[in-house]
Amino acid sequence: MAAVNSKRNALPKLENFRRIVVKVGSSLLVEKTGGLKEAWLKALVDDVATLHKAGADILVVSSGAIAMGRGVLKLGRRPLELEEAQAAASVGQIALARVWAEALAGHGIIAAQVLLTYGDTEERRRYLNARATLGTLLAHRAIPVINENDTVATQEIRYGDNDRLAARVGTMASADCVVLLSDIDGLFTAPPQKDPGAAFVPVVPRITAEIEAMAGGAASELSRGGMMTKIEAAKIATSGGATMLIANGTVEHPLRSVREGRRCSWFLSPSTPVTARKRWIGGTLEPRGTLSVDEGAASAMRAGKSLLPAGVRRVEGSFNRGDCVVVRSLEGGEIARGLVAYDAIDAVQIAGRSTRDIEAILGYSGRKEIIHRDDLVMSGDGAIG
Ligand code: GLU
């Protein structure tokens, strides 16, 4: 089968990635009684700390808030109403954040709690905030411990599963690897509980209809999160330039086990986070306006710097913060495209002004760049089209 490649030496290595999202499911972390699986967590955190000490940035996406809160509120094992799940999440999240903070502190690592809603990752004006905060935490070598903000997320606008949330966090943070720790080894050609002939799939070079069919429909939803949501997560992660890994988390030291050769399923990406992001900004997004900049700003941008308000001479269009805008020279030639950090109405006011003056002009202290260099794609590097 074309999609299956079992050559061990062709597989990626966890230790070669520089920014890794590790997603931990509730059943791995929390006992049926609502108690914490302490020894397991400690072993996982040892693995995480090893990668972190070797220089990788790590983000943890941890479920378990509802499972832990359910125990405290004595809600038993029955299915919960949405309001009950939300109440359980708000009780459990405190304990969840504490156990991660304590476990990471054991290795001298700072933990940071980040609770995201669907809108924080999907609406670009909010997406820029979450992205900037994650970037700053990682620059300080902290490990963000992320969960969905279940307490405010309503049915229609929530992820509901942390597999897709982890993949979105991965693209948002430009991670090059997303690890989903699951209760099975990875992807099989058919649900292994039902089909004894199911073969293991160690690497998926591309997500095809054949691969989606392997995940099955509702049938494989037996396992938490389900293989379908993992394939959905793989589509998000790989199109964002990250490699995704499904590995068995039920063993002690799950990441070390993968490094030592335990079987797992890799989903390869055709690009890197940088090229995927550039293509998204330069080729996918419809520009909503134009910033015309002076020669000083243009050469600073060509040298890899951000665009500051001082270099902007003219603002056109009615765009919102987070929208894509075209950057042009005063003669009109296109220089770059980028995600703008201000609404048009504010951009007009700060154009040509020093960053120091932003607060006095707008009445709030916004970002010092009008387009941050990470959100900028220069014309001529092949990504604009
Ligand atoms: N956010 C939920 C929680 O922390 C879990 C979602 C999932 O298990 O994927 O309990």
Side-chain angles (χ1 to χ4, degrees), residues 218-243:
S220 69
E221 296 284 330
L222 289 173
S223 86
R224 268 154 305 262
M227 198 45 78
M228 283 294 268
T229 69
K230 291 183 174 50
I231 300 292
E232 287 304 315
K235 285 191 206 162
I236 297 169
T238 58
S239 59
T243 301

Side-chain angles (χ1 to χ4, degrees), residues 2 20 25 72-73 81 85 139 147 179 197 201 214 218-219 235 278 290-291 294 323 325 333 361 373:
I20 306 171
V72 179
L73 292 178
E81 300 291 335
N147 197 357
V179 181
V201 183
M214 287 176 191
K235 285 191 206 162
K278 284 189 170 176
T290 303
L291 305 181
D294 61 25
D323 279 345
V325 294
I361 298 168
R373 60 191 158 89

Side-chain angles (χ1 to χ4, degrees), residues 58-80:
I58 310 279
L59 303 98
V60 169
V61 172
S62 179
S63 310
I66 297 173
M68 288 176 96
R70 175 199 272 281
V72 179
L73 292 178
K74 304 200 175 11
L75 295 171
R77 303 293 313 150
R78 65 181 167 83
L80 301 180

Side-chain angles (χ1 to χ4, degrees), residues 23 25-26 62-67 93 96 147-148 150 160-163:
K23 182 259 171 176
S26 304
S62 179
S63 310
I66 297 173
Q93 185 61 37
L96 188 62
N147 197 357
E148 184 160 18
D150 292 310
D161 70 273
N162 277 0
D163 293 331

